[in-house]
Amino acid sequence: MRKVLALAAAASLAGCATMPAPSRSARPAVVPGAMQFLYGSAEAAALSEQAYNALVDNVRLRIAGPRPSESAIVLPADGAPVAASCGDKPFAAVFDMDETAILNLGYEYNDAASGAAFDAGRWARWEAGGADKVVAVPGATAAFAALRTMGVTPIINTNRNVAAATETADALARAGLGSFVHGETLFLKGDADGKSAKDGRRRAIAARWCVLALGGDQIGDFSDALEGTPAARRVAASSPPYAARWGRSWFILPNPVYGTGLGSGWDDTFPADKRWTDMQGAK
């Protein structure tokens, strides 16, 4: 539609000495509420700082006592999932990247201003060219520095594309989070097992590292076993053996903008026996 309007305007101005360039549609007057919260609010910044402070404190406690025997990484097995063993492996903490370690301000501005639906090609162009339009999630820079001081290596496990490995590492460095090397401290979609699900990469990481903490903004950043329908994910997250891990070795950050945290319907969100109707106000 914008192209048609631009062509019509050009035709009506034919013969004029100067022809202004067609104008783009104006961006919406109001930033979407979820983006206001995540990218603009003190509350979201405080939640992120809170998660990172808790993560660092818990890691510090774990390495101050007897050497941990179990990893924060839980792997599928017959019956109940099993925590990977630590042995004498070096210490690490594993983080998702997008909206966990960095905020994609440039991309999300484009989303909000254009109103365009998600497009894989546009996201690939962002991965390749948006490294200078990101910032660290509040708390992440200090946390990554503190972990390194303690001898704990931050590792990124992200579903960004392998084709943009160099640009992904550059974005992390520009955000002040340090250096990451693909295949060593940076794992991308398809690494280890060719899948977008992350258990294969977590298994590969656990084989080389004693992982003391996991950080993410989506449930799949912790275990593929937690994936499913919105209702199933909610039940699983609060069930053994997962519930006791939150705030101890698993730390989740806020993201109301996109991902598996969205999509629940009326019945998932509001159980039928917990609905209230204001009869006095009803017409």
Side-chain angles (χ1 to χ4, degrees):
M1 177 61 72
R2 281 190 294 228
K3 185 175 180 180
V4 172
L5 292 173
L7 290 173
S12 68
L13 291 171
C16 293
T18 59
M19 184 182 297
S23 62
R24 294 179 180 272
S25 296
R27 68 187 183 191
V30 178
V31 176
M35 292 186 183
Q36 290 182 38
F37 179 80
L38 185 58
Y39 304 117
S41 79
E43 289 80 0
L47 283 170
S48 297
E49 295 279 4
Q50 177 176 268
Y52 273 113
N53 286 340
L55 185 151
V56 170
D57 287 347
N58 276 267
V59 168
R60 186 177 288 112
L61 287 173
R62 291 196 71 188
I63 63 177
R67 182 177 177 83
S69 60
E70 289 190 346
S71 171
I73 290 178
V74 175
L75 297 171
D78 293 336
V82 175
S85 62
C86 272
D88 60 356
K89 300 165 191 169
F91 294 140
V94 177
F95 302 90
D96 174 55
M97 180 173 173
D98 299 304
E99 277 58 58
T100 295
I102 67 162
L103 297 176
N104 292 292
L105 292 185
Y107 181 85
E108 298 301 339
Y109 170 80
N110 182 261
D111 248 15
S114 68
F118 177 78
D119 175 74
R122 183 164 60 104
W123 177 257
R125 293 189 293 275
W126 162 252
E127 287 186 353
D132 63 337
K133 299 294 188 297
V134 303
V135 297
V137 167
T141 303
F144 280 33
L147 291 170
R148 290 185 174 108
T149 298
M150 289 187 280
V152 179
T153 299
I155 294 173
I156 297 293
N157 183 9
T158 174
N159 271 340
R160 288 198 174 209
N161 294 294
V162 171
T166 299
E167 293 82 2
T168 296
D170 186 33
L172 290 162
R174 284 173 179 260
L177 297 174
S179 298
F180 293 86
V181 178
H182 183 210
E184 296 181 16
T185 54
L186 174 61
F187 290 81
L188 301 165
K189 183 168 65 177
D191 285 348
D193 62 0
K195 298 179 180 179
S196 59
K198 292 185 173 181
D199 269 355
R201 278 169 270 161
R202 282 188 282 263
R203 187 183 297 276
I205 293 167
R208 296 167 53 185
W209 301 88
C210 172
V211 177
L212 301 176
L214 297 177
D217 67 310
Q218 309 286 326
I219 209 74
D221 294 329
F222 302 91
S223 172
D224 293 349
L226 294 170
E227 295 286 17
T229 66
R233 287 196 300 269
R234 187 174 177 87
V235 170
S238 297
S239 301
Y242 307 111
R245 296 184 176 277
W246 302 113
R248 292 176 176 143
S249 60
W250 290 3
F251 300 86
I252 196 155
L253 289 98
N255 185 356
V257 175
Y258 64 85
T260 56
L262 307 179
S264 64
W266 285 99
D267 291 339
D268 295 321
T269 308
F270 301 105
D273 64 340
K274 295 295 184 287
R275 299 176 187 175
W276 177 75
T277 300
D278 182 3
M279 300 305 296
Q280 182 174 344
K283 296 181 179 179

